[in-house]
Every structure is written in C-alpha cells, then in structure tokens.
Amino acid sequence: MSRLSFLRRPARYCAGLAVAALLACSPRYDWRTIQSNEGGYAALYPGKPTSAARDVAIAGRKLPMTMEAARVDETLFAVGVVSLPSDDAALRAEALSAMQSGLLANLGNAPTEPVQTRAVTVMSSAQPPVALQGIEIRVAGVSPQDKAPRRLTARLVAKGTKVYQAVVLEAGDAARDHRQAEQVEQFLAGFHPF
C-alpha cells in the first residue's frame, strides 16, 4: 500500500463518521408554528401536519370538524376544531362535553388509570393575549383496536363559534413512560386560538 493511499483512507473514514454523526444528531422534532386561518388558531407542531375534515354528532346535530395532525414515531400531535352554527354558550358547553367523551372513547371503556382533569388557562394569539378557560384531560388505557397501550393528554377550550381540542396521543413504548413529557407540554402550550 502506498503512503498516499494510506492517508486517503483515514480521510474517507473520517468523512463517513462525520456524515453518520450529523445524521444521528438530526432532530426527531422539527418544531414549526402553523397558523390555521380556517380553524382560527396557531399551533406549534413537531413536524409538518396533514389535514382532514369530517362531520361529528354534537347535541343532535352534525357539525363540521377539521383536524391537523403531525406524527413523530408512535405519537400523534393534533388540533381539532368544531365549527358551531352560532355563538351560543350552551352549545359550546355541549360541544366541549361531546368532544371530551369522544376522546376518552378512543381508549376504550376501561382506562388503566383514572381520568385526570384540571382547569387550565389557554392564551389566545391576540395582542395582547386573552386568557381562555379550558380543561385538560389525561388518561391512559389500552386501544380497543390493537390492544397496545395509549396515553392521551388533551386541552379543550371554546371561543365564539369554535370549539378546540389540542391532543397528544402516545402509543406503544411512548405511552409506558414520560420520556416525551417536555414535547407534550411544548405542543399543548404552543396552541393558541385566534
């Protein structure tokens, strides 16, 4: 082996290690603020969200619901918005209750831990921000579909003709411990209705 080829080999080896190190350091979470003018909110997502829409049954009516969600491994970060036909406090309350029941139904009828609820303040994106009273729910269970563990953390809040749910649904290994607690809180705290 010539002396020159010996010198080139370590350079290629080092270049390969450098590329591997850069790939290993690439972030799993690519945080970005997304504004939904249609949904009436801004949210901090850990990746580029996808959108979906469907009707949901609330108070005997079918109401439109939009959803934007991003997935990182086995964890879903989503914001759902139900649009009400009028700015009606009673209908907002019914919608909040129906949305909470729907979220809990995703974990089946037998949560593995008691449902935890607490009052939270969600700040609007207005300048200056307006404090909105909401509720946070946390529950762990087993998916009725695939029997895998799930943990759901959500904040629900209503304003005017919009009812919102900011949701983190952890599955599999992510639902067994709290290694993503910081990311869950970052997503929920980064949600702001208009």
Side-chain angles (χ1 to χ4, degrees):
M1 178 187 308
S2 75
R3 186 170 189 207
L4 186 57
S5 65
F6 176 75
L7 292 174
R8 285 188 200 145
R9 185 171 183 171
R12 283 189 301 230
Y13 179 73
C14 290
L17 284 178
V19 169
L22 286 173
L23 291 175
C25 293
S26 65
R28 283 179 43 208
Y29 299 92
D30 182 14
W31 293 102
R32 62 193 65 203
T33 299
I34 303 293
Q35 291 196 11
S36 173
N37 292 326
E38 180 184 334
Y41 68 89
L44 185 61
Y45 283 95
K48 185 176 180 183
T50 58
S51 301
R54 65 183 176 104
D55 288 340
V56 293
I58 293 177
R61 309 173 192 205
K62 288 201 179 244
L63 298 175
M65 180 178 195
T66 59
M67 181 81 64
E68 288 190 329
R71 182 176 296 279
V72 175
D73 299 329
E74 295 182 280
T75 303
L76 183 72
F77 299 82
V79 175
V81 182
V82 171
S83 297
L84 304 176
S86 62
D87 185 352
D88 178 338
L91 186 55
R92 277 194 305 274
E94 284 187 63
L96 283 167
S97 178
M99 290 170 77
Q100 182 174 342
S101 295
L103 287 170
L104 296 176
N106 287 329
L107 294 178
N109 295 329
T112 57
E113 299 173 6
V115 176
Q116 299 174 18
T117 61
R118 68 181 182 110
V120 292
T121 300
V122 176
M123 300 306 291
S124 77
S125 64
Q127 291 303 320
V130 175
L132 304 170
Q133 296 309 305
I135 186 168
E136 181 177 279
I137 59 173
R138 290 179 188 259
V139 64
V142 175
S143 168
Q145 290 82 24
D146 64 8
K147 308 302 183 213
R150 300 277 192 271
R151 181 172 47 231
L152 177 105
T153 308
R155 289 186 182 166
L156 295 98
V157 65
K159 180 177 185 266
T161 61
K162 304 281 189 200
V163 183
Y164 303 92
Q165 61 183 25
V167 180
V168 180
L169 181 61
E170 298 168 282
D173 288 340
R176 291 184 179 100
D177 59 37
H178 294 282
R179 71 182 94 162
Q180 294 187 124
E182 182 180 331
Q183 289 80 16
V184 170
E185 182 58 30
Q186 186 168 347
F187 175 72
L188 295 174
F191 165 71
H192 304 286
F194 287 168

